[in-house]
Amino acid sequence: MRNEMSNRIHGPMGEPRTTLLRVGVLVVIAVLVATAVWLGARSRSDDNGGIDVTSGDSSSQGAQNISVEQVAPETAPADGVVIPTGAELVDGHPTRFPQTDLGAVALQVEVAKAQLGFDYDQAVSVAGLYADPDDKAVFEQRAHDAVALRRQQAGVPKEGDVPPPASYAVTPIAYTLEQLDTGYYAVNLLSYVTLTTAGGKVSDGLYAGTQLMRWTEVDGVGDWRLVQGSDEDINHLVSEGQPKAVAPGTPEYKQAGWIPINGAPQ
């Protein structure tokens, strides 16, 4: 199901801008609950528009129940939270995140940042790298579907080279964190998203998505992994409601409990 409503906000200079709020479950890597607020579009033709969403499924996932250190602050520091980095790189992507709750946030941040452009192979590779081995095939398919959707939204061919100036980029700016079980977290991430179509229309927006992370150890080597989660877990997250995509500095942003990421644009 998808609920759509129009509302009106004001830009930096006080001018009113019409936005479209779209609430639904998106086919993006491991995203279970998501909202997007598109702040407007700019192009040679001044043709404003939003980006459509689709729905996806999730299934059950077993638990290891390995404890992790809880270091995430309960309230937002003045300068935001410094997100840790991975101890190793695989094909340029960080891995071996700290065995802390902020390590789960770090994985979510890297997954979001890796959502670039329209390359199927790159998206599937990232999904396979960060997904739990039992869920790898599902996340790889979701990654492929997400790229297909982005290509459609950008007005570029379904396959093959992408003509300029079409582009897509995500910049994480804030998070919230919920522990579901020992070593098992729901991470909500708020990001700026920019999609440029083949015709030069640029849609800027705020995107909030929820993913499930579990600390997993294989042959004594541990790391955070994306997991599907059980239907019960997903229903719990949906029923309690997840933080919406709202602009930093607004009362709604503070009320939602977003924790800003140090160094991210606000």
Side-chain angles (χ1 to χ4, degrees), residues 11-185:
M13 302 304 294
E15 75 279 12
R17 294 188 297 185
T18 299
T19 67
L20 187 64
L21 176 62
R22 300 179 183 270
V23 181
V25 182
L26 306 190
V27 181
V28 182
I29 297 179
V31 170
L32 306 175
V33 185
T35 67
V37 177
W38 293 95
L39 304 178
R42 57 189 186 277
S43 68
R44 299 181 186 90
S45 61
D46 293 325
D47 180 19
N48 291 331
I51 296 178
D52 203 2
V53 296
T54 61
S55 62
D57 299 319
S58 292
S59 61
S60 62
Q61 169 70 32
Q64 288 193 354
N65 292 327
I66 299 174
S67 63
V68 301
E69 185 179 2
Q70 297 181 347
V71 298
E74 295 184 1
T75 58
D79 295 332
V81 172
V82 176
I83 304 301
T85 59
E88 296 181 3
L89 288 177
V90 176
D91 296 330
H93 299 288
T95 62
R96 300 291 303 277
F97 298 101
Q99 192 174 343
T100 67
D101 49 5
L102 281 183
V105 178
L107 172 57
Q108 165 75 312
V109 167
E110 292 302 330
V111 170
K113 288 164 58 178
Q115 302 304 297
L116 296 172
F118 309 95
D119 188 320
Y120 289 105
D121 291 340
Q122 187 269 350
V124 170
S125 176
V126 170
L129 174 64
Y130 288 133
D132 183 274
D134 292 339
D135 297 332
K136 180 178 178 180
V138 173
F139 289 150
E140 287 178 341
Q141 184 60 52
R142 289 184 180 180
H144 185 278
D145 292 344
V147 172
L149 179 61
R150 288 203 292 267
R151 281 175 170 258
Q152 178 185 359
Q153 293 163 347
V156 301
K158 185 176 181 179
E159 302 284 349
D161 295 338
V162 175
S167 64
Y168 178 88
V170 178
T171 303
I173 61 172
Y175 76 92
T176 68
L177 187 67
E178 178 181 350
Q179 184 176 11
L180 301 177
D181 201 346
T182 305
Y184 182 35
Y185 288 85

Side-chain angles (χ1 to χ4, degrees), residues 186-256:
V187 181
N188 305 290
L189 196 66
L190 179 66
S191 302
Y192 285 125
V193 179
T194 299
L195 176 78
T196 303
T197 70
K201 181 175 67 177
V202 183
S203 294
D204 299 312
L206 289 166
Y207 172 84
T210 303
Q211 297 178 5
L212 297 180
M213 312 289 183
R214 189 185 298 280
W215 179 264
T216 303
E217 292 189 358
V218 178
D219 297 330
V221 178
D223 205 351
W224 288 101
R225 297 285 184 174
L226 302 172
V227 296
Q228 293 188 73
S230 66
D231 291 340
E232 181 180 2
D233 295 332
I234 296 166
N235 289 337
H236 162 72
L237 293 171
V238 172
S239 64
E240 72 174 8
Q242 299 305 296
K244 299 296 188 294
V246 291
T250 63
E252 293 81 8
Y253 177 90
K254 183 177 181 179
Q255 183 178 8

